[in-house]
Amino acid sequence: NAGVTQTPKFQVLKTGQSMTLQCAQDMNHNSMYWYRQDPGMGLRLIYYSASEGTTDKGEVPNGYNVSRLNKREFSLRLESAAPSQTSVYFCASSEISGQPQHFGDGTRLSIL
Amino acid sequence: GQQLNQSPQSMFIQEGEDVSMNCTSSSIFNTWLWYKQDPGEGPVLLIALYKAGELTSNGRLTAQFGITRKDSFLNISASIPSDVGIYFCAGITSGTYKYIFGTGTRLKVLA
């Protein structure tokens, strides 16, 4: 059971570079999410997709774009990376709309 | 942004002891979730609570939805070394799908 798969697991970028984080789930879930996790803070929602073709901004969407390519895949793009975007990024999916149920193992992103 | 207060922030306990932790909010929540995160992995959903006063168990874990709807509690009975990790609560108010996450309780179990 793969569940939620995120790639890459680690990445180092220079300020101003662009990058796409990939996420795929094999559970046929409609809802998918992108969160970021920073030290001393709870997970914060970046973007949410209730179903294929729909996306909605979360708590901290600035500097990010997303693409719900199909039911399985939900990608997160940083167009011009900034040091403040250094974080661990988690993708999640769920059967219940809005309730993150299954998380990937994260992408650890450092921006210099 | 709004955050939930989790208490304690961290705790060391002896193997076999019971553990209690809680989560409080200034807002009324309709649903509470509890997750566990192991190092280098994503959170795992442990328990979901949907009604005030609800008590739900998952093995040695028991969680309660507070009567005031502004808090929730997680208890772990007879702790074992694999209980080590960070426990997060998350809550949601009516009219939104955006869960707010707590800052976590870091649990360390001494064998």
Side-chain angles (χ1 to χ4, degrees), chain A residues 81-96:
Chain A
S84 61
Q85 294 177 304
T86 292
S87 188
V88 182
Y89 291 85
F90 287 100
C91 177
S93 72
S94 67
E95 285 182 286
I96 299 174

Side-chain angles (χ1 to χ4, degrees), chain B residues 90-111:
Chain B
I92 193 169
T93 59
S94 62
T96 179
Y97 55 80
K98 300 175 186 177
Y99 277 85
I100 304 298
F101 279 77
T103 52
T105 292
R106 187 180 297 271
L107 181 63
K108 299 186 181 182
V109 179
L110 306 173

Side-chain angles (χ1 to χ4, degrees), chain A residues 33 35 37 40-45 48 56-59 90 96-106 108, chain B residues 1-3 31 33 35 37 39-45 48 50 86 88 92 97-104:
Chain A
Y33 316 75
Y35 286 90
Q37 185 175 39
M41 302 187 73
L43 290 157
R44 292 183 293 169
L45 182 65
Y48 166 60
D56 201 359
K57 294 180 180 178
E59 183 184 353
F90 287 100
I96 299 174
S97 182
Q99 185 181 111
Q101 189 177 3
H102 298 276
F103 282 81
D105 285 339
R108 283 141 188 85
Chain B
Q2 181 184 4
Q3 286 193 327
T31 302
L33 306 176
Y35 296 85
Q37 185 176 26
E41 299 183 10
V44 174
L45 181 62
Y50 300 104
I86 304 176
F88 290 99
I92 193 169
Y97 55 80
K98 300 175 186 177
Y99 277 85
I100 304 298
F101 279 77
T103 52

Side-chain angles (χ1 to χ4, degrees), chain A residues 17-91:
Chain A
Q17 287 185 316
S18 61
M19 167 100 195
T20 298
L21 308 186
Q22 306 287 353
C23 175
Q25 52 93 8
D26 62 1
M27 295 168 283
N28 203 36
H29 288 162
N30 282 319
S31 297
M32 296 187 74
Y33 316 75
W34 276 105
Y35 286 90
R36 61 178 288 173
Q37 185 175 39
D38 300 298
M41 302 187 73
L43 290 157
R44 292 183 293 169
L45 182 65
I46 305 171
Y47 269 95
Y48 166 60
S49 172
S51 62
E52 182 180 349
T54 67
T55 62
D56 201 359
K57 294 180 180 178
E59 183 184 353
V60 288
N62 291 343
Y64 305 96
N65 286 303
V66 289
S67 220
R68 184 72 184 268
L69 305 169
N70 47 55
K71 193 171 187 179
R72 288 188 67 246
E73 298 171 291
F74 189 34
S75 62
L76 179 72
R77 182 161 178 84
L78 287 70
E79 290 291 351
S80 180
S84 61
Q85 294 177 304
T86 292
S87 188
V88 182
Y89 291 85
F90 287 100
C91 177

